[in-house]
Amino acid sequence: MSQMKKRQMPSVIVLLLITAKAVVVADSTSNSTKFEFMQWQRDIPSNLPLPPSLIYASPVLKFRGGDSGCSPSTATCENPVSADLTSLISRLGPAFKSALDANVRDHDSECASSCEIYYCGNGTAAPDLDYTSYSMGSVPPEDFQNDFKYPLDLIKVTKDETPILTPEQAEKIVKLAEEEGVLNGEYKSGKYKLGGDWLTNLPQTRSLFNSHLSSSIFPSLATLFPNIVSSPSVLRAHSVALLRYNSTHPRTDTHVDNGILAMTLALSGKDDFKGGGTYFEHLGGETVEMEKGGVTFRPGSVRHGGKKVTEGERYILGAFLLIENKVEHVRRLKNRGAEFRGKGELEEAKKYFEWALEINGKCVTCLKDLSEVLLVQDKVEEAERTLRKALELIPDDSDGLFSLGVILSKKGDAQGSIVAYEKSASINSDDYELQYNLGLKYSERGERDKELKCYSNAVDVKNDYGPALLNWGSSLAEAQDYDGAAEKFVRAMADEETTLKAAVNLAMVDNLRANGMAVKGDLGGASDVLEKSIGYLKKAIVEGATRGIVGDDSDFGSYLKTGKGLVGKLTMTLGQVFAGMKKFEAAEEVFRQLTKEFPTEKPGWMGLARILEMRHGEKAREEIEHIKAKLQGL
C-alpha cells in the first residue's frame, strides 16, 4: 500500500500521515473513437446517439473485446484461445502443477462441504420466469471464458411480474432469520461493515433456503447458463449470507464475488427503503431494481456493489456458487496470491498472479493485484504497465483508476494523478479513500476549496473516517479556524487509526483556544476546554501504548512522545487558569498532579510553589523551601 502525507503545517499543528491504495491506467483512445468501436461491436448504427449506459447495456455481438488484436479501424479481433493446461504444466514446471493440484483438492473439499449443509441434487423443473438480460461488457468471466457464448448478456434479472419467490416466501425467510438473531449480526466486507449473518449460523433459515435451491434456484441457473452448468446437480452453494442494509450499515464497496456464478435475492420491496439497490459499474453505476422475491444471477467476476440505503431497511440474500465439475483455477490461483501478499511474501504472490494470467491473460483483477505487488516492490514502471493493461480491458474500473492515481503520484506526475483520481471519482464518487487522496493532491496545488470539499465528501460517505477528518481539521487550523478544527479532531478520535494523532492535534489547537479565551477574560471557558482536552489526550495515550502501532505508521513513537509532553503543557496552563479564577484549591490539586506525572520537570514544581505561597503563605514555608531545594537539583 502506498502512503501519502499531507503537507506540514506551521508549528501550531502536528501533521498526520494517511494511507492510500494501489494503481490504475489512462484511456489511450479518445471517447468518440471508443464509443464508435463499442457501437460497432453491438451492431448499433454509428449515427444513432445513445448515452454510454445504454451502449454498455447492449450485448456484444461481433467479438469479445479487450484482445490485443482488436482494432476499431479494421473492426477485427482475434478469437481468444483456450488455455492448454497440459502445455502450461510442461512449460511452467512442477510447482505450477502442484498449485493446480491444490486447486482441485480445495475445490473438491469445498463442494463436498457444501453438500453437507446445502441442497445438492437435480431439483424440480425450472419455473417459467421472464428475465431482463444485461451485458457484462466486452471482457468475459475470468474462468471458463471460452465456455460463455456470445452475446455476453450474462446478467439475468427477473422481471417484477415473475419473481423467483413470492413476496410471502421472501417475507418468511426474513422472519425466520430475525427469529434466529440476524438483527444482532455484523461483519466486515471490504471497507464497510454489513449487518446480517452467514446462513451457516442460521439453521432454520438455511433449511428454508435449501428448499428454494431445489425448487427454483438451481433449476433456473441450469436453464440460464447451459454452456457451463450441465445440470442442477453440479451446482454447489459455496458462501451464503443474509444481509441487512440500513442507515448504520448502508452499503458495500464495488467488488467481485468469490465464485464462478453469484446471485442476489431481493427479500424487501422497493418501497421498504430509499436509496439502495444493486449496481454494476460497467453500466454507469445504474441500479438494477428488483421487487420483493426477485433475483439477479450473474458471473461472479462482474464488478458490482450495493448502493447506500438512506432510509428504511433492505434485506437481500447473497450467494456465491461453485460448479462441481469445473475447477476455477484462475480465481483460486489469484486468491492464493492474495494470501501470500497479505503475509508479505511478495515473490510468492507475484508468481501466483502470473500463473493465473498464464491461464487467462485478460483476468483484470489478476492484473490489478500483480500491479499492486510490483508497486510495493518499488517496480513503479512495471506496475504502471501492468495496470494499464487492466484498464485497456475495462477503462472505467474505478479501483484501477484510483490505483493509477497512486502510481502517478509516486512518480511525481501530480497532474496525471489528479486526472486519474477525478476520472475514478466521476465513476464512483462514494469511495472515501479516493476522495481523501484527491483532497491531498488538491492540497499540494494549493486548491484549498477543492481540498476541503473532497474531505467533506469522504466524511459524508464514512462519517468517522479519521484520515479525512484529520486533514480537514489541519486545514481549518491553518486558516486559524480553531473551533472548526477542534470539532474535526474530536470526530477523528473515533477512528482507531487516527485516535492518538487526533488527540495530539486537538491538544495543540485547544491550547491556542484556551489562551485566546483567557485573554478575553473567559477563564471558565478556557478551563473547560483544557480539562476536556487533557482527558482526551490521556485516554488516547493509554490506548495507544496498549494497542501499539495501528497500520503502517512509522511516526507512532513520536506522536506518543509529543502527546505526553502536551499533557504537561496543558495541565500547567490549566493550573494557571484556575489560579486566575482564584480557585486555589483546584490549582493546587492540578500542580500536585503535575509534579507526580512529571517529577523531573521544573514548571510543575514552580507552579506548585507559587500556588502554595498564594494559598497558605507562611504555613507552607517548609514545603516551599523543600521545593526550591528540589528545583536546584533539577
Side-chain angles (χ1 to χ4, degrees):
M1 297 285 279
S2 172
Q3 279 194 335
M4 304 181 69
K5 291 188 179 183
K6 190 185 182 298
R7 61 190 180 280
Q8 285 291 336
M9 292 180 58
S11 59
V12 178
I13 306 294
V14 174
L15 222 44
L16 330 147
L17 36 88
I18 285 119
T19 59
K21 259 194 210 170
V23 237
V24 88
V25 273
D27 188 2
S28 58
T29 309
S30 70
N31 280 338
S32 60
T33 303
K34 168 182 155 184
F35 289 127
E36 286 177 11
F37 187 38
M38 291 171 61
Q39 285 183 251
W40 175 85
Q41 285 183 293
R42 293 157 172 79
D43 273 344
I44 299 172
S46 59
N47 61 352
L48 181 61
L50 289 178
S53 59
L54 288 182
I55 298 176
Y56 278 120
S58 302
V60 175
L61 300 174
K62 294 194 175 179
F63 56 75
R64 291 176 180 160
D67 297 271
S68 58
C70 293
S71 167
S73 59
T74 62
T76 61
C77 182
E78 63 186 49
N79 292 321
V81 179
S82 298
D84 183 344
L85 293 183
T86 302
S87 298
L88 286 177
I89 290 170
S90 176
R91 178 162 61 85
L92 299 175
F96 177 70
K97 182 179 185 302
S98 177
L100 297 187
D101 290 343
N103 289 346
V104 173
R105 289 194 300 272
D106 290 347
H107 175 82
D108 289 346
S109 174
E110 289 175 11
C111 286
S113 297
S114 172
C115 289
E116 293 175 3
I117 58 174
Y118 292 110
Y119 172 79
C120 293
N122 275 315
T124 61
D128 185 15
L129 306 178
D130 289 330
Y131 293 84
T132 300
S133 297
Y134 297 88
S135 170
M136 68 168 288
S138 56
V139 179
E142 293 177 347
D143 276 289
F144 317 117
Q145 63 269 30
N146 296 302
D147 292 339
F148 289 93
K149 302 302 181 184
Y150 282 91
L152 291 175
D153 54 346
L154 301 176
I155 302 171
K156 309 291 185 179
V157 184
T158 50
K159 294 184 178 180
D160 287 353
E161 297 78 16
T162 59
I164 198 165
L165 302 184
T166 66
E168 293 74 22
Q169 289 172 325
E171 290 165 5
K172 187 173 181 180
I173 292 175
V174 173
K175 183 175 184 294
L176 273 179
E178 290 181 343
E179 290 173 355
E180 292 188 286
V182 75
L183 295 177
N184 301 319
E186 181 183 78
Y187 60 96
K188 190 171 184 180
S189 175
K191 297 193 289 286
Y192 300 97
K193 290 181 179 179
L194 303 181
D197 207 344
W198 299 102
L199 259 63
T200 50
N201 301 322
L202 307 171
Q204 295 181 60
T205 308
R206 186 176 70 245
S207 177
L208 182 56
F209 175 65
N210 279 333
S211 69
H212 295 305
L213 288 178
S214 169
S215 64
S216 57
I217 295 172
F218 280 178
S220 295
L221 282 162
T223 301
L224 292 168
F225 300 99
N227 294 316
I228 62 163
V229 182
S230 57
S231 77
S233 64
V234 300
L235 287 165
R236 302 289 182 265
H238 171 41
S239 299
V240 187
L242 194 146
L243 305 180
R244 175 173 170 254
Y245 297 84
N246 55 22
S247 59
T248 59
H249 300 82
R251 67 184 314 117
T252 69
D253 51 10
T254 308
H255 61 282
V256 298
D257 289 335
N258 210 23
I260 182 60
L261 294 173
M263 60 171 281
T264 301
L265 177 62
L267 301 177
S268 299
K270 297 176 185 177
D271 296 333
D272 293 335
F273 57 89
K274 291 184 180 179
T278 301
Y279 68 88
F280 294 91
E281 190 169 72
H282 72 286
L283 298 179
E286 294 182 8
T287 300
V288 174
E289 293 189 348
M290 294 180 287
E291 194 48 88
K292 186 183 298 182
V295 70
T296 296
F297 296 121
R298 60 184 179 274
S301 59
V302 180
R303 281 177 58 79
H304 68 286
K307 282 202 170 180
K308 181 178 181 180
V309 170
T310 57
E311 290 183 28
E313 289 188 335
R314 176 188 178 226
Y315 277 102
I316 66 163
L317 189 148
F320 306 158
L321 305 167
L322 306 179
I323 301 174
E324 188 271 338
N325 58 352
K326 287 186 176 293
V327 181
E328 299 163 68
H329 285 298
V330 175
R331 178 178 67 85
R332 292 184 181 277
L333 290 171
K334 178 184 67 176
N335 287 353
R336 194 161 288 119
E339 291 172 5
F340 282 117
R341 180 184 59 196
K343 294 186 291 186
E345 299 179 36
L346 299 182
E347 281 301 317
E348 281 297 296
K350 181 171 175 284
K351 178 173 66 178
Y352 275 86
F353 294 144
E354 289 173 341
W355 281 345
L357 287 164
E358 288 282 358
I359 299 175
N360 179 7
K362 298 178 184 65
C363 172
V364 173
T365 56
C366 302
L367 288 166
K368 292 191 295 183
D369 286 344
L370 176 59
S371 175
E372 183 178 339
V373 168
L374 292 168
L375 183 62
V376 174
Q377 293 179 322
D378 210 28
K379 299 175 181 178
V380 181
E381 295 295 338
E382 190 176 353
E384 182 182 353
R385 286 195 300 272
T386 302
L387 184 59
R388 290 191 182 278
K389 290 179 182 178
L391 287 168
E392 287 171 5
L393 293 165
I394 304 182
D396 294 329
D397 183 325
S398 62
D399 285 343
L401 290 164
F402 175 99
S403 298
L404 181 61
V406 174
I407 286 179
L408 295 178
S409 179
K410 187 166 185 175
K411 290 178 65 176
D413 182 0
Q415 179 57 33
S417 176
I418 287 177
V419 169
Y421 285 145
E422 287 179 336
K423 184 173 181 182
S424 181
S426 72
I427 299 165
N428 183 11
S429 62
D430 288 342
D431 185 334
Y432 57 85
E433 291 177 330
L434 163 65
Q435 292 287 350
Y436 166 74
N437 270 18
L438 182 55
L440 291 184
K441 301 313 294 183
Y442 286 140
S443 170
E444 291 174 7
R445 287 172 41 152
E447 298 184 51
R448 187 169 179 275
D449 289 344
K450 288 184 178 180
E451 174 196 5
L452 298 187
K453 177 61 177 173
C454 286
Y455 298 150
S456 176
N457 290 343
V459 173
D460 282 345
V461 177
K462 190 173 189 292
N463 60 15
D464 64 346
Y465 184 48
L469 287 163
L470 277 172
N471 279 21
W472 193 353
S474 297
S475 290
L476 292 173
E478 286 180 348
Q480 299 184 3
D481 179 1
Y482 300 132
D483 290 343
E487 186 266 337
K488 299 299 183 290
F489 292 144
V490 169
R491 290 173 61 188
M493 285 190 291
D495 187 336
E496 183 179 289
E497 181 184 346
T498 55
T499 299
L500 179 58
K501 295 176 180 181
V504 167
N505 277 17
L506 177 65
M508 290 185 168
V509 165
D510 279 349
N511 192 49
L512 293 170
R513 294 172 70 210
N515 281 321
M517 292 175 181
V519 168
K520 295 177 181 178
D522 184 8
L523 297 180
S527 65
D528 288 344
V529 166
L530 290 167
E531 285 185 291
K532 287 180 182 177
S533 197
I534 291 168
Y536 284 138
L537 188 53
K538 284 184 175 180
K539 184 172 184 286
I541 289 171
V542 171
E543 291 178 353
T546 302
R547 187 169 55 236
I549 295 175
V550 176
D552 184 14
D553 188 352
S554 58
D555 288 346
F556 177 81
S558 67
Y559 277 98
L560 202 60
K561 182 178 179 180
T562 300
K564 291 177 180 178
L566 282 169
V567 169
K569 186 174 183 178
L570 266 64
T571 303
M572 184 71 188
T573 304
L574 178 60
Q576 293 169 339
V577 168
F578 279 148
M581 298 171 70
K582 301 191 184 307
K583 292 186 174 182
F584 298 125
E585 183 179 354
E588 181 179 338
E589 182 180 345
V590 166
F591 285 124
R592 288 194 183 280
Q593 183 64 33
L594 191 59
T595 60
K596 290 178 182 178
E597 294 181 4
F598 301 91
T600 60
E601 300 293 328
K602 289 184 177 182
W605 292 108
M606 294 171 66
L608 178 58
R610 177 61 177 155
I611 207 69
L612 288 173
E613 186 172 342
M614 293 173 65
R615 186 180 182 199
H616 303 291
E618 287 302 316
K619 292 181 181 179
R621 181 56 52 194
E622 184 177 346
E623 184 176 3
I624 292 170
E625 292 302 321
H626 175 75
I627 292 173
K628 288 180 179 179
K630 186 174 185 65
L631 284 168
Q632 289 179 353
L634 292 179

